Amino acid sequence: MAESGRQPPPEPLEDACPTTHNFMIPKKEINTVPDMGKWKRSQVQVGSVAYADYIGFILTLNEGVKGKKLTCEYKVSEPINKLVALLNTLDRWIDETPPMDQPSRFGNKAFRTWYAKLDQEAENLVATVIPSHLAAAVPEVALYLKESVGNSTRIDYGTGHEAAFAAFLCCLCKIGVLRVDDQIAIVFKVFNRYLEVMRKLQKTYRMEPAGSQGVWGLDDFQFLPFIWGSSQLIEHPYLEPRHFVDEKAVNENHKDYMFLECILFITEMKTGPFAEHSNQLWNISAVPSWSKVNQGLIRMYKAECLEKFPVIQHFKFGSLLPIQPVTSGR
């Protein structure tokens, strides 16, 4: 698989499912470390359909937002607006579910009340986005939405949950609800709104990072906005990677670029020198160009998220993102 992200776009975008398709509730398939072989690509480029379609989807969007500001003009379709409305509902539920008074600082138990509401309403919410002739897809797609907001037992959130939201969007593309010309809006309108809601969840309920690598990880909670955000900045006339550790540059440009919005959130949430609390990002600021940052982050995402058992053991596989291997005839 080309590390640069210049491979041909995958099948998902615009690959509308036939009405005879057998949908299924996605389930856990990776239970032991050796099971990772079913998911990862091998030396001969044969891995699971889910892996190929998921990474292809991420790279297609990466290419789609290259050099574009969040504030640029782009097409906003009806399904995109419906997805934003769905996320607005999740946001409103946070306001309706204030944190509880409890002795422990982290993991506010009110999150479980908020999550129980989503668990109960997820299919109804997803049914507002998926047209009635594809109603059979709703339970399968809704599971990825439920998986995308954090774990209600541990009250934590991490890159595996973020991957579930990307899988949710990928599935909507595979059934034809989202189209090729929705690419920019998928990232700038929907995913960006998702990030806002997740940040509010993290702050309101003091969620723990899931599987955090501490100062050696890229970020406690997210990864994809750094990939897509660095693509946005490729060939920027004056902002270079070294500028994202400059408070003035971040304050002046964060509304246009996801990467800088992520940096702003980190500096709001953490105290002390940036080089100490976010060492990995500090190192990235020394990379000479955004295209090199982008390529490096894609490699890192594969190695640290998609190919790590602690993250992928929680991923669920259904009919749209199946675990079956890619065959040469595909």
Side-chain angles (χ1 to χ4, degrees):
M1 189 157 290
E3 298 295 354
S4 67
R6 294 188 196 283
Q7 67 200 68
E11 289 178 29
L13 293 161
E14 212 126 271
D15 181 22
C17 269
T19 47
T20 53
H21 184 90
N22 290 320
F23 293 101
M24 61 181 277
I25 304 288
K27 61 184 195 295
K28 189 174 158 74
E29 297 271 7
I30 296 172
N31 300 301
T32 63
V33 173
D35 288 341
M36 287 294 285
K38 293 190 284 188
W39 159 252
K40 286 193 291 190
R41 67 192 190 283
S42 69
Q43 294 306 306
V44 289
Q45 300 288 313
V46 178
S48 93
V49 172
Y51 186 103
D53 283 354
Y54 179 86
I55 195 66
F57 178 69
I58 298 304
L59 295 178
T60 299
L61 295 176
N62 186 59
E63 204 63 29
V65 300
K66 188 190 276 184
K68 295 181 175 73
K69 293 182 177 183
L70 286 168
T71 48
C72 76
E73 296 264 317
Y74 52 86
K75 173 183 173 282
V76 180
S77 65
E78 190 183 352
I80 292 288
N81 282 327
K82 286 177 175 176
L83 283 164
V84 172
L86 181 159
L87 291 164
N88 290 344
T89 299
L90 301 189
D91 190 314
R92 191 182 75 245
W93 290 349
I94 301 172
D95 296 334
E96 293 168 1
T97 317
M100 295 162 60
D101 283 332
Q102 63 177 53
S104 62
R105 183 173 164 224
F106 285 101
N108 194 282
K109 292 182 178 67
F111 174 73
R112 291 177 183 152
T113 308
W114 180 91
Y115 183 85
K117 194 161 188 175
L118 173 62
D119 194 35
Q120 190 181 343
E121 294 293 327
E123 290 190 19
N124 293 334
L125 289 172
V126 172
T128 65
V129 179
I130 293 178
S132 55
H133 72 279
L134 287 168
V138 168
E140 177 165 347
V141 177
L143 182 113
Y144 291 108
L145 178 66
K146 289 193 281 189
E147 294 275 313
S148 74
V149 297
N151 183 284
S152 63
T153 306
R154 297 188 301 270
I155 315 179
D156 67 5
Y157 174 93
T159 51
H161 302 109
E162 178 191 71
F165 191 75
F168 168 69
L169 296 173
C170 184
C171 287
L172 290 174
C173 288
K174 293 197 82 169
I175 61 174
V177 172
L178 296 173
R179 319 291 290 189
V180 170
D181 56 2
D182 287 318
Q183 280 180 53
I184 299 172
I186 288 170
V187 179
F188 289 0
K189 196 107 179 134
V190 179
F191 194 83
N192 209 39
R193 184 73 185 105
Y194 164 75
L195 284 178
E196 290 170 357
V197 177
M198 292 308 103
R199 286 170 183 148
K200 188 168 173 178
L201 276 180
Q202 290 152 21
K203 282 203 278 196
T204 304
Y205 304 122
R206 304 291 301 185
M207 296 177 80
E208 295 267 21
S212 171
Q213 296 171 301
V215 295
W216 305 111
L218 183 71
D219 178 71
D220 280 345
F221 299 109
Q222 313 296 157
F223 204 116
L224 291 174
F226 291 96
I227 294 177
W228 295 329
S230 59
S231 181
Q232 282 184 275
L233 285 155
I234 288 172
E235 292 176 13
H236 193 282
Y238 59 86
L239 285 174
E240 297 170 16
R242 63 190 173 90
H243 289 119
F244 78 72
V245 292
D246 174 349
E247 193 179 341
K248 184 170 180 284
V250 171
N251 288 336
E252 287 175 0
N253 297 282
H254 70 94
K255 286 186 169 68
D256 284 325
Y257 298 103
M258 278 181 141
F259 196 105
L260 302 183
E261 192 69 56
C262 289
I263 300 296
L264 186 69
F265 184 68
I266 290 169
T267 55
E268 283 174 359
M269 298 296 282
K270 296 193 172 185
T271 54
F274 191 92
E276 288 178 19
H277 63 61
S278 300
N279 188 263
Q280 187 75 261
L281 280 167
W282 177 262
N283 291 340
I284 288 169
S285 71
V287 175
S289 72
W290 285 111
S291 60
K292 286 230 175 339
V293 169
N294 186 244
Q295 288 166 28
L297 286 174
I298 290 166
R299 282 195 297 275
M300 187 178 170
Y301 185 61
K302 290 175 182 175
E304 299 301 321
C305 298
L306 299 187
E307 296 176 6
K308 283 285 164 73
F309 176 73
V311 176
I312 295 303
Q313 65 172 325
H314 302 295
F315 198 89
K316 304 289 201 308
F317 300 88
S319 73
L320 296 170
L321 290 171
I323 191 74
Q324 284 86 5
V326 178
T327 60
S328 55
R330 196 173 132 77

